[in-house]
Amino acid sequence: MVSVQLVKVTKRFGSVVAVNNVDLEIPDGRFTALLGPSGSGKTTLLYLIAGIYRPTRGKILFDGKDVTNLKPNERNIGLVFQNYALYPHMKVYDNISFPLRLAKKPKSFIDKKVREIAAMLQIDHLLDRYPAQLSGGQQQRVALARALVKEPSVLLLDEPLSNLDAMLRLKIRSELKRLQKDLGITAIYVTHDQSEALAMADKVVVINNGVIQQEGDPHEVYRNPRNVFVASFIGSPPANIFPVKVDLVEEPCVILPGGKYCPKGILAERLKNLGKETVLFGFRPEDATLHEVPRHDGIIMEGEVYTIEPLGREVIVTLKVDGNLVKVIAPPTTTGRISQRVYINVPRDKAMLFDPDTEKNLRLIG
Amino acid sequence: MKLGHKLSNATFFLLPAIILIAAFYILPLIVTTWISFTPLRDWKISQLTEFVELENYRALYKFVTTHPLGSLVLKTTIVFVVFTLIVNVLGGLLLAIATYVIEERVSLGFRLLWLIPRMTPLAVFGLIWYYFFYGSPQGTLNAFLLKLGLIDQPTFWGTDPNLLPWSAWSIIIFVNGLVGVSYGMIIFYSAFKSLPPELLIAAKVDGASTWQIVRHILIPMARWHLVFVTVWQLLSLVTSYTHLFVLVDWRIVDEWYGTTWALFVFTEAFGTVKNQGLAAAAAVILVIIGSLLGLLTLRIMRFDKITLEPKGDI
């Protein structure tokens, strides 16, 4: 197993900068997720690590060894694609054994390896079939087996669950996580699905426009988003963010519909030093509570019920707050009617303030 | 939907094609078969109702088995079809692989270059080869070889008795191959282009060299296209005669070493002989042989197997 390091890596395609000056450390033996919307450069980043693309600038190191100019097959990586990319004209056995056959390993060795990995992934009864005769989940396992059979030092996964239906995705998600832990392999996982990244990864790297927005453990990235993009990309539903007026007359406060929020300590100082008329105010849907009469602890604002979506375990209430749509996750027993006036209560330590221009989280600046 | 309804729908959509096939294929086939049983010569229409039973077929059999030119037509046909087919299919495959592997901008120009022979009008194309193989010192090939000092006398390449038969055969194979090879190239190239790029990336990551990708991925994945191009080219080569006609008519190649069965049918019916009855019999034989060859090739290349629906839960 190896650690992977990217040093000031840039990749251009013509005039498009797909990956822009990225520095990244991927820890040995851990599960790292590259998370970003489509077109963010996450797959390009993966292909750079795989050696399919050469960086325009910068270096890629495996365990400190420069692999920038090595071909994919010289890097000892396993790669799993979203569409699995199984060879349709080869049986499952031949698909899995293909990398070993190309490496000219002895037949008995190949046979042993293929059967071992197939047994581990519970596809040993499918070895005689063609990929077209398999279900999506089975094809996925075959692709995984083909990537793992050569005992790669890094396993690269490019949206491997996106082509599966929702139920199967949940099942394979936990299996994949367990498999990575059992093998102790360095895994890099590209996904646009934030819940997948949070659920599976030891480390989440959020990418947008070819630039790393934030990296850290899932909890850290979720609780302390560095900027508006991360806050509004992660979470289901994501954080509510809307512009509010700033009042610096007595003490630094932001004016909310039906209330105001005056932060204390360092945040107050930063709000004051920022000296802008508006900032972006945000909170996570699950941090807020709804009340018919205003409470006097925490931050209070007034809203009007827009829709109510019961999801069984919880209810998502969408409210109109000063023209902005805001989502709050409420207990399953919540009832209400459309256009009803309610009070939203957010604990003070859960409120987020962002610079409207740089979109950075004021709490994390410095 | 009721079956009757379905059938009438199908008929409606198929009707234009059925009419075309009937008018331009089935009907001529019937007329040709009819003529093959008549003594029709010099287009004397009155002879169309006189029947000679199998006389034309007998004459044809006699021509092929006893006349030296008869067996020569047969030999030329086999050599021409087999070798041009190899050139067209393997050459097309090689060109497709080459244009697939190289950079797209270069590849486009390269592919267009190979399409020129196909786009060139027959007369112009014929003229080019007329000058190219012409027997005077000014003929392109002669001038070139003379300059290089490889020969010291100009030669009529396609007709010099000392060089026959392979000189004439080489020319007809070369000229037809040059036209035909772009067909396979286009089909195979588009087949390669339609492969998901991940398949090739996966193979590269698995450690496959370019040659191994060609052998293990590209060629097996283009198998259907290979079958199609082979059968299609086989049937067109068996029946095509236009380029050969120009080559023979302009004396670029020897008349008999450049005459295949298809051209024989044409010259027999429309040339100096004008023996339409015999030509029709030869044409009928050609259709039968063509159909059998087509079916045989499909069988050999296991067409039924590759069009089988996949089994299993998807």
Side-chain angles (χ1 to χ4, degrees):
Chain A
M1 308 308 128
V2 299
S3 65
V4 177
Q5 201 183 353
L6 280 76
V7 185
K8 302 210 178 311
V9 169
T10 296
K11 177 66 185 174
R12 288 169 177 276
F13 295 103
S15 62
V16 180
V17 184
V19 169
N20 195 354
N21 206 27
V22 161
D23 280 305
L24 182 61
E25 189 91 40
I26 286 159
D28 183 4
R30 310 300 292 278
F31 202 121
T32 302
L34 304 178
L35 172 66
S38 58
S40 60
K42 55 190 189 303
T43 297
T44 307
L45 207 53
L46 192 78
Y47 281 10
L48 283 166
I49 296 169
I52 293 154
Y53 297 151
R54 291 254 173 113
T56 313
R57 266 199 310 278
K59 274 199 289 192
I60 297 165
L61 311 172
F62 280 16
D63 261 353
K65 193 175 136 262
D66 191 343
V67 298
T68 317
N69 293 317
L70 291 188
K71 289 189 187 131
N73 57 324
E74 295 164 338
R75 298 188 183 194
N76 194 24
I77 49 156
L79 185 50
V80 177
F81 297 89
Q82 177 175 354
N83 63 6
Y84 318 131
L86 298 175
Y87 311 121
H89 58 286
M90 293 185 202
K91 288 184 172 171
V92 168
Y93 186 96
D94 299 322
N95 260 287
I96 300 175
S97 65
F98 192 59
L100 299 181
R101 279 188 285 143
L102 290 177
K104 302 231 160 32
K105 300 276 190 223
K107 251 204 164 89
S108 57
F109 174 83
I110 294 177
D111 192 64
K112 187 169 150 271
K113 276 280 155 207
V114 171
R115 290 186 193 285
E116 250 174 46
I117 200 90
M120 188 176 85
L121 290 164
Q122 297 156 23
I123 48 171
D124 36 354
H125 59 296
L126 303 172
L127 291 174
D128 271 338
R129 297 215 198 157
Y130 283 97
Q133 298 169 313
L134 304 179
S135 68
Q138 291 168 334
Q139 290 185 27
Q140 218 269 339
R141 282 163 199 263
V142 176
L144 204 54
R146 186 180 62 185
L148 288 173
V149 76
K150 51 186 166 174
E151 297 180 345
S153 34
V154 190
L155 178 62
L156 306 173
L157 304 134
D158 187 5
E159 308 238 9
L161 304 185
S162 298
N163 282 14
L164 301 175
D165 64 68
M167 299 291 275
L168 201 55
R169 205 178 306 160
L170 282 181
K171 181 167 173 269
I172 301 212
R173 189 165 93 179
S174 40
E175 281 181 13
L176 205 54
K177 183 168 184 172
R178 179 59 197 262
L179 182 71
Q180 187 271 331
K181 292 279 168 279
D182 287 347
L183 296 174
I185 191 172
T186 308
I188 306 174
Y189 186 99
V190 161
T191 180
H192 67 272
D193 183 336
Q194 52 88 28
S195 63
E196 238 170 66
L198 295 180
M200 299 172 82
D202 301 311
K203 174 175 180 173
V204 175
V205 180
V206 185
I207 304 166
N208 194 31
N209 295 329
V211 176
I212 292 181
Q213 305 291 318
Q214 189 168 2
E215 50 184 298
D217 71 67
H219 183 76
E220 169 69 17
V221 172
Y222 185 81
R223 274 322 337 168
N224 296 314
R226 190 173 292 280
N227 57 32
V228 171
F229 175 80
V230 177
S232 56
F233 190 68
I234 292 183
S236 170
N240 299 299
I241 297 170
F242 50 90
V244 291
K245 287 243 176 317
V246 180
D247 175 12
L248 296 173
V249 179
E250 284 174 26
E251 51 175 336
C253 294
V254 298
I255 311 295
L256 296 164
K260 66 178 183 176
Y261 164 48
C262 305
K264 301 276 178 265
I266 187 97
L267 197 54
E269 207 170 295
R270 283 185 184 151
L271 182 61
K272 192 175 152 200
N273 292 343
L274 196 64
K276 289 183 179 161
E277 283 183 13
T278 58
V279 290
L280 298 169
F281 174 79
F283 61 92
R284 293 225 170 257
E286 69 274 22
D287 290 336
T289 49
L290 298 176
H291 307 278
E292 289 188 17
V293 288
R295 280 169 54 140
H296 291 287
D297 56 332
I299 305 159
I300 295 155
M301 65 201 114
E302 216 180 327
E304 184 183 282
V305 175
Y306 186 75
T307 51
I308 298 176
E309 300 162 61
L311 297 181
R313 187 179 49 192
E314 65 210 16
V315 171
I316 296 179
V317 183
T318 308
L319 304 117
K320 220 171 193 170
V321 178
D322 200 16
N324 304 294
L325 288 181
V326 163
K327 286 185 191 294
V328 171
I329 293 177
T333 49
T334 309
T335 53
R337 55 190 165 73
I338 285 175
S339 298
Q340 186 184 349
R341 306 291 304 173
V342 291
Y343 295 90
I344 305 167
N345 188 291
V346 181
R348 300 178 61 89
D349 61 328
K350 299 285 165 53
M352 298 181 273
L353 292 176
F354 300 92
D355 181 325
D357 300 315
T358 65
E359 300 200 335
K360 285 192 171 142
N361 191 337
L362 290 187
R363 220 186 270 275
L364 299 177
I365 291 173
Chain B
M1 204 185 282
K2 285 200 180 114
L3 187 64
H5 207 91
K6 246 186 188 166
L7 273 180
S8 71
N9 258 348
T11 318
F12 176 77
F13 283 108
L14 288 176
L15 206 58
I18 291 174
I19 291 172
L20 282 176
I21 290 173
F24 295 106
Y25 186 76
I26 310 274
L27 205 63
L29 189 64
I30 294 169
V31 172
T32 305
T33 314
W34 180 290
I35 293 173
S36 75
F37 294 105
T38 70
L40 185 65
R41 262 179 175 273
D42 298 319
W43 297 114
K44 286 201 196 89
I45 305 298
S46 60
Q47 290 173 321
L48 269 178
T49 48
E50 299 167 28
F51 285 99
V52 291
E53 293 175 344
L54 290 173
E55 193 46 51
N56 286 322
Y57 291 92
R58 246 176 254 133
L60 196 62
Y61 181 74
K62 210 172 139 210
F63 172 69
V64 170
T65 47
T66 59
H67 201 291
L69 291 182
S71 58
L72 184 55
V73 167
L74 222 52
K75 226 189 271 170
T76 301
T77 308
I78 292 169
V79 168
F80 170 73
V81 169
V82 168
F83 283 93
T84 318
L85 188 65
I86 291 172
V87 168
N88 283 357
V89 176
L90 289 189
L93 191 62
L94 280 176
L95 283 178
I97 290 169
T99 49
Y100 181 74
V101 172
I102 61 177
E103 203 186 327
E104 173 61 26
R105 264 182 313 161
V106 186
S107 164
L108 182 69
F110 194 66
R111 274 178 288 139
L112 282 176
L113 199 69
W114 279 96
L115 280 178
I116 290 174
R118 184 170 287 274
M119 296 186 292
T120 312
L122 181 59
V124 177
F125 195 60
L127 209 58
I128 291 170
W129 298 119
Y130 181 74
Y131 289 130
F132 188 83
F133 291 112
Y134 195 69
S136 83
Q138 282 75 40
T140 316
L141 185 60
N142 278 321
F144 190 67
L145 292 177
L146 282 170
K147 201 139 224 168
L148 285 180
L150 290 173
I151 52 168
D152 41 34
Q153 283 289 319
T155 318
F156 277 92
W157 291 98
T159 48
D160 187 336
N162 296 322
L163 298 173
L164 288 175
W166 282 99
S167 59
W169 285 344
S170 300
I171 292 174
I172 59 175
I173 291 164
F174 173 75
V175 170
N176 275 277
L178 210 56
V179 179
V181 78
S182 58
Y183 184 79
M185 177 188 77
I186 297 272
I187 302 275
F188 297 138
Y189 180 81
S190 66
F192 296 160
K193 273 288 170 189
S194 66
L195 293 179
E198 287 85 2
L199 223 49
L200 303 171
I201 296 177
K204 257 184 224 166
V205 171
D206 284 344
S209 61
T210 306
W211 161 242
Q212 284 170 323
I213 290 176
V214 168
R215 197 169 86 92
H216 292 293
I217 313 290
L218 292 187
I219 293 179
M221 293 295 290
R223 182 136 176 233
W224 200 96
H225 304 81
L226 266 169
V227 173
F228 169 73
V229 171
T230 307
V231 173
W232 184 268
Q233 291 281 9
L234 173 69
L235 295 185
S236 12
L237 287 173
V238 167
T239 54
S240 81
Y241 62 87
T242 46
H243 286 88
L244 296 176
F245 173 75
V246 171
L247 292 173
V248 165
D249 199 54
W250 294 0
R251 299 284 179 272
I252 300 168
V253 294
D254 179 84
E255 186 179 353
W256 287 101
Y257 286 93
T259 298
T260 61
W261 194 268
L263 184 59
F264 172 73
V265 171
F266 178 80
T267 35
E268 200 62 21
F270 303 100
T272 44
V273 195
K274 296 208 177 9
N275 186 348
Q276 284 89 29
L278 187 73
V284 169
I285 299 291
L286 188 62
V287 169
I288 293 171
I289 289 175
S291 313
L292 289 178
L293 276 178
L295 288 174
L296 191 69
T297 323
L298 289 178
R299 194 64 176 272
I300 291 170
M301 302 192 103
R302 317 193 68 164
F303 180 75
D304 51 335
K305 211 179 161 198
I306 48 179
T307 51
L308 216 59
E309 297 263 351
K311 282 188 219 118
D313 41 342
I314 295 171

